[in-house]
Amino acid sequence: MAIKIDMLRCFTMVATHGSLAEAADALGRTPSAVSMMLKQFEDHVGSALFETARKSRLTPVGELILAEARREVAHFENTVSVIEGLARSELGFLRLAATPSVATTVLPPVIFKFAEKFPKVQIDLRDMDSDAIARELDRERADVGIGSLPVVEGMRRIELFSDAFGMVCRKDHPLVERWTQLDWRTIGDQTIIANGLCKQITDPDFAPILARSRLMVPNTASLLGLVRQGVGITVLPRLVVANLLDEFAFLPLADVTARRTVHLMSRPNNLLMPAAREFLKLINEMKRDGSLVPQAEFQKL
């Protein structure tokens, strides 16, 4: 007969209480059941573990085995706790990949609420462009991706929000004075810094503007650093600069319908860990109640 965890638990409980009756109460079993299991354990070990029938004193072999038994019982109970925690999403690992604007503006309140509810879940958040997010999801190196993502077979994709493109420049830029009449044709010979999101703009009047750009900067932080220095202006969705309007000006474009649409993408629920399923549930709840993107103007631009 193999040693079972119940045998070890029974033995440690009897040794702790020094009494079959007290151990039985603690285990929720009858004294006779505890005595039988203890006898099976001693038979398997091939040695008595207690010096007397009262179980108040361990034999030398019993002392040695007790230390190991307690360690094994503690390990088993910790394992059970982790498994149960994973099932309830109290523990686990959540891997998020998001575009920088989403990571800095949309996700903080979502992660705050999620961490309050599941404080033991470890969260790995990485910001990257939408193409990289799609690759991370395909290689199963991310559980949830948020960006301007295409339809991918086998993946679940839902639209979270969309925001309008506009010109972004320093607040002291001359364009700010005439922004109400601004469109692609009136930008003139301004130095345009292109970025990865420009490919989403299909307005015909934007094509020649993009063609004459001599600067292409995919990284948002570097891009805004150049705008801040006065090297040029750029085109970005409203959300990207939502928290930076004390430094930059966002100039909506008249009669321009170009918008960036942000999607959430993941594998089907049955293929996700509980923590990822709970995160998706939370973000969908926040989308429904309007708290996901609280700045109402994003939807109007």
Side-chain angles (χ1 to χ4, degrees):
M1 179 184 295
I3 295 177
K4 300 177 180 178
I5 193 66
D6 281 347
M7 292 179 178
L8 298 182
R9 186 181 285 114
C10 175
F11 168 56
T12 58
M13 198 62 69
V14 173
T16 299
H17 290 277
S19 162
L20 284 173
E22 291 183 18
D25 286 342
L27 291 168
R29 299 189 176 187
T30 63
S32 60
V34 172
S35 179
M36 183 181 297
M37 185 163 289
L38 188 59
K39 179 66 167 56
Q40 290 175 344
F41 186 39
E42 288 180 322
D43 289 345
H44 184 90
V45 172
S47 176
L49 300 176
F50 295 92
E51 291 186 355
T52 66
R54 296 181 59 188
K55 314 301 182 187
S56 59
R57 180 179 297 179
L58 289 164
T59 63
V61 173
E63 291 281 2
L64 294 173
I65 292 176
L66 177 61
E68 295 300 325
R70 280 177 170 161
R71 188 159 33 245
E72 186 62 29
V73 169
H75 175 72
F76 177 79
E77 290 177 347
N78 181 66
T79 300
V80 171
S81 177
V82 169
I83 291 172
E84 291 175 345
L86 284 170
R88 296 191 302 268
S89 302
E90 292 179 356
L91 301 173
F93 193 77
L94 175 62
R95 300 169 301 174
L96 304 174
T99 55
S101 61
V102 171
T104 57
T105 308
V106 175
L107 283 183
V110 181
I111 292 175
F112 177 79
K113 288 186 177 182
F114 184 83
E116 274 193 323
K117 190 172 183 180
F118 306 107
K120 295 182 181 179
V121 171
Q122 183 176 345
I123 301 173
D124 175 21
L125 170 61
R126 289 170 292 155
D127 60 86
M128 57 190 72
D129 62 38
S130 293
D131 290 339
I133 292 172
R135 289 194 298 271
E136 292 298 282
L137 288 167
D138 180 62
R139 296 169 184 172
E140 298 186 24
R141 296 196 297 216
D143 302 309
V144 178
I146 305 177
S148 298
L149 303 169
V151 174
V152 177
E153 185 178 357
M155 293 281 186
R156 183 177 67 168
R157 187 186 77 149
I158 62 171
E159 180 179 329
L160 292 182
F161 63 89
S162 70
D163 53 344
F165 281 93
M167 302 306 303
V168 175
C169 60
R170 287 171 33 151
K171 297 191 77 170
D172 60 356
H173 195 282
L175 282 178
V176 176
E177 297 179 3
R178 52 189 175 93
W179 71 269
T180 53
Q181 289 80 40
L182 191 64
D183 60 26
W184 299 131
R185 288 164 294 184
T186 57
I187 289 175
D189 59 354
Q190 298 292 330
T191 299
I192 302 295
I193 308 174
N195 60 77
L197 291 172
C198 290
K199 63 184 179 182
Q200 296 187 32
I201 302 174
T202 58
D203 291 19
D205 291 330
F206 181 63
I209 294 174
L210 185 60
R212 65 180 172 80
S213 174
R214 295 296 176 263
L215 278 171
M216 171 64 183
V217 185
N219 181 273
T220 303
S222 301
L223 174 67
L224 292 178
L226 293 174
V227 175
R228 182 183 294 110
Q229 187 62 38
V231 174
I233 63 177
T234 193
V235 185
L236 287 170
R238 173 69 169 76
L239 181 65
V240 175
V241 293
N243 294 332
L244 302 171
L245 294 180
D246 57 337
E247 182 178 6
F248 297 101
F250 177 83
L251 310 179
L253 293 154
D255 300 323
V256 172
T257 59
R259 299 183 71 84
R260 183 269 305 260
T261 301
V262 174
H263 301 94
L264 180 147
M265 185 178 287
S266 70
R267 296 189 178 278
N269 265 6
N270 63 314
L271 299 179
L272 294 174
M273 291 289 286
R277 293 200 298 268
E278 291 292 345
F279 182 83
L280 293 179
K281 179 181 176 182
L282 173 61
I283 207 167
N284 277 302
E285 289 173 353
M286 294 180 68
K287 178 190 174 185
R288 285 194 298 270
D289 66 23
S291 62
L292 181 63
V293 185
Q295 301 89 340
E297 63 267 25
F298 292 165
Q299 308 299 331
K300 299 175 181 178
L301 290 178

